[in-house]
Amino acid sequence: MQHQVSSFLRPLSSDSSNTIASLCSKRNFREAFNRFGLNIFSNTSLFTPFIKSLQSLPSTKQLHCLLVVSGFSSDKFICNHLMTLYSKLGAFPSAVALYDRMNKKHYMSSNIIINGYVRDGDLVNARKVFDEMSERKFTTWNAMIAGLIQYECNEEGLRLFREMHELGFSPDEYTLGSVFSGCAGLRSVFIGQQAHGYMVKYGLELDSVVSSSLAHMYMRNGKLRDGQSVIRSMPVRTLVAWNTLISGYAQEGCPETVLCEYKKMKISGYRLDQITFVTVLSSCSDLAIRGQGQQIHAEAVKIGASSVVAVVSSLISMYSKCGCLEDAAKAFSERGDEDEVMWSSMISAYGFHGRGEEAIKLFNTMVEETEMEINEVTFLNLLYACSHSGLRDKGLELFDTMVEKYGFKPSLRHYTCVVDLLGRAGDLDQAEAKIRWMPMKPDAVIWKTLLSACSVHKNAETAQRAFEEILKIDPNDSSCYVLLANVHASAKRWRDVSEVRKSMRDKDVKKEPGVSWFEHKGEVYRFKMGDRSQSQSKEIYSYLKELTLEMKVKGYKPDTASVLHDMDDEEKESDLVQHSEKLTVAYALMVLPEGVPIRIIKNLRVCGDCHVAFKYISVIKNREITLRDGSRFHHFVNGKCSCGDYW
């Protein structure tokens, strides 16, 4: 009998080992165990294929019980396999229980538990296991550092990296990848540069993963050129590197360059991912170039990325900012997974186009028909929508709901929306009181919001107070000087206008030039005020002169109050004709086929005269004209604007 047992437990041949692996890979677990089960107790390495064959928690627990009965449950090799399997099957507490019963804990066992805690976001227990380890290997340090930085505990992660290095451990590509991410999160280029030195010292400068992390670190710290240099020096540029590069350009406000690099990326044959699409669609949003955005949308559909939540949100934003609200709504209606960011994006789109009632209706649907969490951003978009639609009372009601029902603490941006809401409605005293009594320090933006409302309602006294507050925060903000000058000009207080302009000259404050543009056949045409750089400038000005005469016949009267110079009316009218949006619409009418909608973008807020002029043009030329200015969208159809003149 003893001979039979010894014979049964003798080492298996390589053919038998292959048979076990083959049976287990085919899920024939029972047959494998019946034929060779006892052999794993003399050769625990044969336990691996059995572990790999298990796909369910009940089967894993059955095997675990068998190992306990057989007396092999304390084997470190087997315990590590079981803990890994429990973690993989979502039963991490069982892995922890097994770990706690181990008499002598191997460092690999601790690594498994640390990784499990990190995956669950439980950094406290992960760090506790780490601190209790008598022996830490290189992989242990990497796991803990990566976990801390993954959950944005960047300072602690970098502190642990320094401790690791002081103990004599040399960083590898995984260590440095985490360190560069931590430096990016902390905006610490100095520590990142030191880690860059380690990277060169240990010969990792050609590693694509580390190089991409390094480039990302430089770009997040505003060192765009250093990041570009790292990527250009890579022997092979990976998808991650391409995404890092275009994200860096987007971060620096270079949307044209983003699209240029995107084209190079496609030519190089890389398969784009959702990160790529989100970045390039955002650049199309910034430039408001619908044609390019539609092409990128088609690419996303082709590779199956158009239903990804982040991509859908970017599509909604892109179409909205290109003036195509219907396309934005269509992208929203074709969404796959539900996500609060996506709903907030659509609410924001309605608000941007002055469709406050639709924004509120969508919010109510979100509350009543979905289980998604409402957050502060949702309310911010709602307040913006109410502000741009003249829904004063509803906006104030929603602000109270946010605080009293949902318990959210309003941010400065929420208060800015409320001030805008009150200011547009003409409640300037209440708007100013809101700023002075809110529980945080006001910034220049909220004071400029009030100053802008003063410009619309021609309130010089409140405007002067807001102006003085802005100068305390940012004395070189050119827009506040222009807004104050507008208030004085509308009241024909030319001496005050001159003083404002003199103050700008004395402080060397430069007014941001107005620029307008539109897209035609994949090309973007830009115009500045008084622009004569176009090859067809003579024709444009001639066309605009004829168009102005037609408008006057229909009743148009130039709003010379918006001209910031004391000159005769004829000179003022000449000045108004040269506004960038008028030059742009004239050229668009010249080159676009009859009946085609015109979409124009301007970097600054449209002036009152141009707003009136576009109404007349929409009637005379029977065109739908969409103008996106620095504040919102204006849709001109049949002599009316979607903003209802509430802008």
Side-chain angles (χ1 to χ4, degrees):
M1 181 67 180
Q2 180 69 34
H3 174 73
Q4 288 178 335
V5 172
S6 300
S7 176
F8 188 79
L9 294 177
R10 68 177 181 270
L12 296 177
S13 65
S14 59
D15 289 341
S16 299
S17 299
N18 292 336
T19 302
I20 293 175
S22 176
L23 288 169
C24 288
S25 67
K26 295 175 182 176
R27 308 287 300 278
N28 294 329
F29 172 75
R30 289 184 179 277
E31 183 181 349
F33 197 82
N34 288 336
R35 289 176 59 181
F36 306 103
L38 292 179
N39 292 96
I40 68 172
F41 302 131
S42 61
N43 184 1
T44 53
S45 65
L46 295 174
F47 190 71
T48 303
F50 285 96
I51 286 285
K52 287 183 176 179
S53 72
L54 298 175
Q55 301 291 327
S56 68
L57 190 58
S59 297
T60 302
K61 288 183 174 180
Q62 286 177 7
L63 184 59
H64 191 177
C65 290
L66 177 62
L67 291 168
V68 171
V69 171
S70 304
F72 282 84
S73 61
S74 60
D75 183 274
K76 289 183 291 186
F77 179 83
I78 291 176
C79 283
N80 288 344
H81 271 296
L82 279 172
M83 285 191 294
T84 301
L85 191 56
Y86 277 129
S87 299
K88 177 183 174 183
L89 295 173
F92 184 61
S94 296
V96 174
L98 180 57
Y99 176 77
D100 289 340
R101 286 196 297 270
M102 294 177 68
N103 294 325
K104 187 176 182 182
K105 296 174 174 61
H106 190 257
Y107 80 91
M108 279 298 297
S109 308
S110 300
N111 285 0
I112 293 166
I113 297 302
I114 289 172
N115 281 317
Y117 278 130
V118 166
R119 187 178 57 251
D120 289 348
D122 187 351
L123 297 182
V124 173
N125 277 315
R127 187 62 194 263
K128 182 181 178 184
V129 173
F130 178 85
D131 291 339
E132 290 173 352
M133 291 176 68
S134 58
E135 178 190 19
R136 297 177 191 141
K137 297 293 185 181
F138 185 73
T139 52
T140 314
W141 287 93
N142 270 356
M144 197 65 242
I145 292 170
L148 290 167
I149 290 174
Q150 177 187 343
Y151 289 95
E152 298 183 4
C153 299
N154 297 310
E155 290 185 13
E156 189 177 352
L158 294 178
R159 188 162 52 246
L160 209 60
F161 166 66
R162 284 194 292 269
E163 184 181 338
M164 166 191 169
H165 192 258
E166 288 168 0
L167 290 172
F169 291 97
S170 300
D172 67 358
E173 62 270 28
Y174 300 107
T175 321
L176 291 175
S178 297
V179 168
F180 289 136
S181 294
C183 293
L186 286 175
R187 300 292 198 275
S188 176
V189 71
F190 177 70
I191 299 175
Q193 287 170 330
Q194 290 181 313
H196 189 177
Y198 288 130
M199 175 180 168
V200 175
K201 178 180 178 181
Y202 294 107
L204 296 170
E205 62 268 33
L206 297 181
D207 186 282
S208 60
V209 175
V210 181
S211 294
S212 296
S213 297
L214 174 63
H216 174 67
M217 182 277 296
Y218 277 128
M219 289 177 173
R220 282 289 297 273
N221 281 285
K223 301 286 186 179
L224 185 60
R225 290 186 179 179
D226 289 334
Q228 292 168 350
S229 177
V230 170
I231 290 176
R232 289 196 185 103
S233 67
M234 293 173 64
V236 178
R237 193 179 294 183
T238 63
L239 176 62
V240 173
W242 275 106
N243 282 341
T244 301
L245 183 65
I246 65 174
S247 296
Y249 281 121
Q251 177 189 323
E252 290 297 306
C254 306
E256 295 98 336
T257 311
V258 168
L259 296 175
C260 181
E261 292 296 327
Y262 163 71
K263 290 175 183 176
K264 292 179 185 176
M265 184 179 179
K266 283 206 305 178
I267 292 170
S268 299
Y270 283 88
R271 180 180 174 84
L272 313 178
D273 65 4
Q274 67 182 71
I275 297 173
T276 319
F277 286 119
V278 168
T279 306
V280 294
L281 285 170
S282 297
S283 295
C284 291
S285 298
D286 294 337
L287 295 170
I289 45 176
R290 176 174 173 252
Q292 181 77 64
Q294 286 176 318
Q295 292 177 23
I296 294 167
H297 186 180
E299 291 283 342
V301 171
K302 192 182 298 181
I303 71 162
S306 61
S307 60
V308 175
V309 167
V311 176
V312 175
S313 296
S314 297
L315 284 169
I316 292 169
S317 177
M318 183 273 292
Y319 280 124
S320 168
K321 291 182 179 179
C322 289
C324 307
L325 185 60
E326 292 75 16
D327 289 330
K330 187 172 184 291
F332 177 75
S333 66
E334 295 174 350
R335 65 194 181 277
D337 297 333
E338 297 288 2
D339 178 77
E340 55 266 19
V341 174
M342 197 187 304
W343 282 73
S344 287
S345 296
M346 194 63 230
I347 290 170
S348 175
Y350 280 129
F352 202 41
H353 287 262
R355 306 273 279 272
E357 296 287 357
E358 280 103 326
I360 294 169
K361 183 179 178 181
L362 188 62
F363 170 73
N364 290 334
T365 302
M366 183 179 179
V367 171
E368 295 166 6
E369 299 181 13
T370 74
E371 296 181 357
M372 287 178 294
E373 290 187 10
I374 307 299
N375 57 35
E376 295 95 326
V377 176
T378 310
F379 278 102
L380 186 65
N381 291 332
L382 277 171
L383 291 171
Y384 181 92
C386 291
S387 173
H388 284 254
S389 305
L391 303 174
R392 175 190 178 278
D393 294 339
K394 186 62 180 178
L396 295 176
E397 179 189 324
L398 285 167
F399 183 83
D400 291 339
T401 298
M402 178 185 76
V403 176
E404 296 169 8
K405 180 179 178 180
Y406 289 89
F408 294 135
K409 185 178 180 181
S411 69
L412 182 57
R413 295 176 69 191
H414 291 102
Y415 279 107
T416 302
C417 279
V418 171
V419 169
D420 191 39
L421 191 75
L422 294 168
R424 288 173 187 270
D427 299 331
L428 300 179
D429 291 341
Q430 190 176 349
E432 184 179 3
K434 182 71 71 174
I435 297 175
R436 296 193 183 280
W437 288 99
M438 65 184 187
M440 71 273 294
K441 187 177 180 181
D443 64 358
V445 174
I446 197 168
W447 283 114
K448 278 196 291 184
T449 301
L450 178 61
L451 178 55
S452 179
C454 293
S455 178
V456 172
H457 295 287
K458 300 178 175 54
N459 186 317
E461 290 73 20
T462 306
Q464 185 64 41
R465 290 196 297 273
F467 175 76
E468 290 168 1
E469 294 291 347
I470 296 168
L471 291 188
K472 294 176 185 177
I473 301 168
D474 185 1
N476 295 316
D477 189 325
S478 63
S479 62
C480 69
Y481 288 91
V482 175
L483 286 168
L484 183 62
N486 279 333
V487 175
H488 293 317
S490 63
K492 300 186 184 303
R493 295 162 62 169
W494 301 113
R495 184 187 297 275
D496 292 330
V497 173
S498 296
E499 288 181 4
V500 173
R501 295 176 66 84
K502 181 179 182 300
S503 179
M504 290 180 72
R505 287 194 299 272
D506 292 344
K507 297 177 181 178
D508 197 28
V509 176
K510 304 294 183 182
K511 177 181 178 294
E512 183 181 359
V515 180
S516 299
W517 64 94
F518 82 107
E519 182 188 17
H520 177 49
K521 293 183 177 180
E523 199 168 335
V524 177
Y525 296 87
R526 296 177 180 274
F527 293 86
K528 296 181 291 186
M529 182 173 176
D531 200 339
R532 295 183 183 273
S533 63
Q534 301 288 338
S535 59
Q536 294 177 270
S537 286
K538 288 185 179 179
E539 292 88 341
I540 294 170
Y541 278 95
S542 176
Y543 183 90
L544 195 50
K545 184 177 181 180
E546 293 177 9
L547 186 59
T548 303
L549 290 174
E550 286 186 73
M551 289 192 292
K552 286 183 175 180
V553 170
K554 294 289 186 180
Y556 163 68
K557 293 181 180 179
D559 181 10
T560 56
S562 59
V563 178
L564 302 182
H565 297 277
D566 185 12
M567 56 179 73
D568 61 42
D569 287 344
E570 187 176 340
E571 288 177 305
K572 288 181 179 180
E573 285 189 33
S574 176
D575 188 80
L576 291 172
V577 167
Q578 299 182 59
H579 282 195
S580 64
E581 55 266 56
K582 284 204 182 84
L583 296 173
T584 308
V585 77
Y587 188 61
L589 286 166
M590 289 169 58
V591 300
L592 291 176
E594 190 172 339
V596 173
I598 297 172
R599 293 182 175 87
I600 296 172
I601 304 91
K602 183 177 180 178
N603 62 330
L604 305 177
R605 185 173 295 189
V606 62
C607 76
D609 177 71
C610 288
H611 191 267
V612 172
F614 273 39
K615 289 183 185 180
Y616 280 97
I617 295 170
S618 70
V619 173
I620 293 168
K621 297 300 179 181
N622 192 26
R623 293 283 186 116
E624 178 184 343
I625 304 172
T626 300
L627 171 65
R628 187 185 108 184
D629 68 5
S631 176
R632 61 172 299 151
F633 266 101
H634 303 267
H635 298 277
F636 299 93
V637 181
N638 296 325
K640 295 182 179 179
C641 179
S642 61
C643 73
D645 296 335
Y646 193 82
W647 60 283

mmCIF file of all heavy atoms in Angstrom, residues 379-398:
data_model
loop_
_atom_site.group_PDB
_atom_site.id
_atom_site.type_symbol
_atom_site.label_atom_id
_atom_site.label_comp_id
_atom_site.label_asym_id
_atom_site.label_seq_id
_atom_site.Cartn_x
_atom_site.Cartn_y
_atom_site.Cartn_z
ATOM 1 N N PHE A 379 -26.272 72.903 -11.168
ATOM 2 C CA PHE A 379 -26.930 74.149 -10.768
ATOM 3 C C PHE A 379 -26.243 75.374 -11.373
ATOM 4 O O PHE A 379 -26.900 76.366 -11.699
ATOM 5 C CB PHE A 379 -26.979 74.264 -9.240
ATOM 6 C CG PHE A 379 -28.106 73.500 -8.622
ATOM 7 C CD1 PHE A 379 -27.887 72.275 -8.003
ATOM 8 C CD2 PHE A 379 -29.406 73.990 -8.689
ATOM 9 C CE1 PHE A 379 -28.943 71.566 -7.440
ATOM 10 C CE2 PHE A 379 -30.468 73.283 -8.125
ATOM 11 C CZ PHE A 379 -30.232 72.067 -7.504
ATOM 12 N N LEU A 380 -24.933 75.305 -11.522
ATOM 13 C CA LEU A 380 -24.210 76.418 -12.148
ATOM 14 C C LEU A 380 -24.710 76.626 -13.578
ATOM 15 O O LEU A 380 -24.971 77.761 -14.007
ATOM 16 C CB LEU A 380 -22.705 76.125 -12.146
ATOM 17 C CG LEU A 380 -21.784 77.241 -12.640
ATOM 18 C CD1 LEU A 380 -21.840 78.439 -11.714
ATOM 19 C CD2 LEU A 380 -20.356 76.728 -12.763
ATOM 20 N N ASN A 381 -24.869 75.525 -14.325
ATOM 21 C CA ASN A 381 -25.375 75.611 -15.696
ATOM 22 C C ASN A 381 -26.812 76.113 -15.733
ATOM 23 O O ASN A 381 -27.201 76.856 -16.638
ATOM 24 C CB ASN A 381 -25.272 74.236 -16.371
ATOM 25 C CG ASN A 381 -23.840 73.826 -16.636
ATOM 26 O OD1 ASN A 381 -22.969 74.673 -16.825
ATOM 27 N ND2 ASN A 381 -23.576 72.532 -16.644
ATOM 28 N N LEU A 382 -27.607 75.699 -14.755
ATOM 29 C CA LEU A 382 -28.992 76.161 -14.682
ATOM 30 C C LEU A 382 -29.071 77.660 -14.422
ATOM 31 O O LEU A 382 -29.857 78.378 -15.052
ATOM 32 C CB LEU A 382 -29.732 75.417 -13.571
ATOM 33 C CG LEU A 382 -30.291 74.031 -13.903
ATOM 34 C CD1 LEU A 382 -30.781 73.360 -12.637
ATOM 35 C CD2 LEU A 382 -31.418 74.124 -14.918
ATOM 36 N N LEU A 383 -28.267 78.141 -13.491
ATOM 37 C CA LEU A 383 -28.267 79.569 -13.182
ATOM 38 C C LEU A 383 -27.821 80.384 -14.394
ATOM 39 O O LEU A 383 -28.371 81.454 -14.679
ATOM 40 C CB LEU A 383 -27.347 79.843 -11.986
ATOM 41 C CG LEU A 383 -27.832 79.319 -10.632
ATOM 42 C CD1 LEU A 383 -26.737 79.448 -9.582
ATOM 43 C CD2 LEU A 383 -29.082 80.071 -10.182
ATOM 44 N N TYR A 384 -26.827 79.859 -15.100
ATOM 45 C CA TYR A 384 -26.348 80.519 -16.328
ATOM 46 C C TYR A 384 -27.479 80.592 -17.350
ATOM 47 O O TYR A 384 -27.693 81.629 -17.995
ATOM 48 C CB TYR A 384 -25.164 79.731 -16.887
ATOM 49 C CG TYR A 384 -24.555 80.303 -18.144
ATOM 50 C CD1 TYR A 384 -23.492 81.197 -18.085
ATOM 51 C CD2 TYR A 384 -25.035 79.949 -19.393
ATOM 52 C CE1 TYR A 384 -22.926 81.724 -19.235
ATOM 53 C CE2 TYR A 384 -24.479 80.468 -20.558
ATOM 54 C CZ TYR A 384 -23.429 81.349 -20.465
ATOM 55 O OH TYR A 384 -22.876 81.877 -21.612
ATOM 56 N N ALA A 385 -28.211 79.485 -17.506
ATOM 57 C CA ALA A 385 -29.315 79.437 -18.468
ATOM 58 C C ALA A 385 -30.398 80.449 -18.100
ATOM 59 O O ALA A 385 -30.934 81.147 -18.971
ATOM 60 C CB ALA A 385 -29.908 78.028 -18.522
ATOM 61 N N CYS A 386 -30.724 80.540 -16.820
ATOM 62 C CA CYS A 386 -31.744 81.494 -16.379
ATOM 63 C C CYS A 386 -31.282 82.929 -16.611
ATOM 64 O O CYS A 386 -32.061 83.785 -17.043
ATOM 65 C CB CYS A 386 -32.053 81.291 -14.896
ATOM 66 S SG CYS A 386 -32.920 79.743 -14.535
ATOM 67 N N SER A 387 -30.009 83.175 -16.346
ATOM 68 C CA SER A 387 -29.459 84.514 -16.530
ATOM 69 C C SER A 387 -29.561 84.966 -17.977
ATOM 70 O O SER A 387 -29.922 86.110 -18.268
ATOM 71 C CB SER A 387 -27.995 84.529 -16.068
ATOM 72 O OG SER A 387 -27.388 85.758 -16.375
ATOM 73 N N HIS A 388 -29.258 84.063 -18.905
ATOM 74 C CA HIS A 388 -29.245 84.420 -20.325
ATOM 75 C C HIS A 388 -30.618 84.327 -20.972
ATOM 76 O O HIS A 388 -30.743 84.526 -22.184
ATOM 77 C CB HIS A 388 -28.242 83.532 -21.063
ATOM 78 C CG HIS A 388 -26.822 83.934 -20.821
ATOM 79 N ND1 HIS A 388 -26.052 84.569 -21.764
ATOM 80 C CD2 HIS A 388 -26.048 83.822 -19.723
ATOM 81 C CE1 HIS A 388 -24.857 84.828 -21.264
ATOM 82 N NE2 HIS A 388 -24.832 84.374 -20.015
ATOM 83 N N SER A 389 -31.629 84.013 -20.181
ATOM 84 C CA SER A 389 -32.980 83.921 -20.728
ATOM 85 C C SER A 389 -33.949 84.866 -20.028
ATOM 86 O O SER A 389 -35.151 84.839 -20.293
ATOM 87 C CB SER A 389 -33.496 82.478 -20.608
ATOM 88 O OG SER A 389 -32.613 81.571 -21.220
ATOM 89 N N GLY A 390 -33.429 85.680 -19.117
ATOM 90 C CA GLY A 390 -34.292 86.630 -18.421
ATOM 91 C C GLY A 390 -35.182 86.005 -17.369
ATOM 92 O O GLY A 390 -36.180 86.597 -16.965
ATOM 93 N N LEU A 391 -34.826 84.798 -16.904
ATOM 94 C CA LEU A 391 -35.655 84.087 -15.918
ATOM 95 C C LEU A 391 -35.164 84.415 -14.504
ATOM 96 O O LEU A 391 -34.654 83.562 -13.774
ATOM 97 C CB LEU A 391 -35.614 82.579 -16.180
ATOM 98 C CG LEU A 391 -36.066 82.145 -17.579
ATOM 99 C CD1 LEU A 391 -35.851 80.648 -17.770
ATOM 100 C CD2 LEU A 391 -37.530 82.502 -17.797
ATOM 101 N N ARG A 392 -35.334 85.682 -14.134
ATOM 102 C CA ARG A 392 -34.801 86.166 -12.860
ATOM 103 C C ARG A 392 -35.357 85.395 -11.668
ATOM 104 O O ARG A 392 -34.611 84.852 -10.857
ATOM 105 C CB ARG A 392 -35.108 87.655 -12.712
ATOM 106 C CG ARG A 392 -34.714 88.252 -11.365
ATOM 107 C CD ARG A 392 -35.286 89.658 -11.214
ATOM 108 N NE ARG A 392 -34.973 90.225 -9.916
ATOM 109 C CZ ARG A 392 -35.640 89.978 -8.797
ATOM 110 N NH1 ARG A 392 -36.664 89.121 -8.827
ATOM 111 N NH2 ARG A 392 -35.295 90.553 -7.660
ATOM 112 N N ASP A 393 -36.668 85.367 -11.545
ATOM 113 C CA ASP A 393 -37.300 84.743 -10.370
ATOM 114 C C ASP A 393 -37.007 83.248 -10.301
ATOM 115 O O ASP A 393 -36.745 82.700 -9.222
ATOM 116 C CB ASP A 393 -38.807 84.982 -10.395
ATOM 117 C CG ASP A 393 -39.155 86.457 -10.233
ATOM 118 O OD1 ASP A 393 -38.302 87.206 -9.723
ATOM 119 O OD2 ASP A 393 -40.266 86.855 -10.632
ATOM 120 N N LYS A 394 -37.044 82.571 -11.451
ATOM 121 C CA LYS A 394 -36.767 81.129 -11.476
ATOM 122 C C LYS A 394 -35.319 80.858 -11.092
ATOM 123 O O LYS A 394 -35.029 79.894 -10.373
ATOM 124 C CB LYS A 394 -37.062 80.565 -12.870
ATOM 125 C CG LYS A 394 -36.943 79.048 -12.954
ATOM 126 C CD LYS A 394 -37.947 78.347 -12.053
ATOM 127 C CE LYS A 394 -37.838 76.840 -12.118
ATOM 128 N NZ LYS A 394 -38.772 76.164 -11.206
ATOM 129 N N GLY A 395 -34.432 81.717 -11.543
ATOM 130 C CA GLY A 395 -33.017 81.545 -11.202
ATOM 131 C C GLY A 395 -32.771 81.680 -9.710
ATOM 132 O O GLY A 395 -32.049 80.874 -9.107
ATOM 133 N N LEU A 396 -33.377 82.687 -9.098
ATOM 134 C CA LEU A 396 -33.227 82.877 -7.649
ATOM 135 C C LEU A 396 -33.848 81.715 -6.876
ATOM 136 O O LEU A 396 -33.323 81.287 -5.845
ATOM 137 C CB LEU A 396 -33.873 84.199 -7.231
ATOM 138 C CG LEU A 396 -33.222 85.469 -7.798
ATOM 139 C CD1 LEU A 396 -34.006 86.708 -7.386
ATOM 140 C CD2 LEU A 396 -31.767 85.585 -7.349
ATOM 141 N N GLU A 397 -34.948 81.185 -7.411
ATOM 142 C CA GLU A 397 -35.597 80.023 -6.779
ATOM 143 C C GLU A 397 -34.674 78.799 -6.833
ATOM 144 O O GLU A 397 -34.549 78.055 -5.845
ATOM 145 C CB GLU A 397 -36.910 79.724 -7.514
ATOM 146 C CG GLU A 397 -37.666 78.514 -6.974
ATOM 147 C CD GLU A 397 -38.844 78.125 -7.848
ATOM 148 O OE1 GLU A 397 -39.497 79.035 -8.409
ATOM 149 O OE2 GLU A 397 -39.099 76.907 -7.986
ATOM 150 N N LEU A 398 -34.025 78.595 -7.969
ATOM 151 C CA LEU A 398 -33.109 77.452 -8.114
ATOM 152 C C LEU A 398 -31.893 77.607 -7.205
ATOM 153 O O LEU A 398 -31.384 76.614 -6.658
ATOM 154 C CB LEU A 398 -32.660 77.318 -9.568
ATOM 155 C CG LEU A 398 -33.704 76.732 -10.529
ATOM 156 C CD1 LEU A 398 -33.281 76.935 -11.976
ATOM 157 C CD2 LEU A 398 -33.909 75.242 -10.245
#
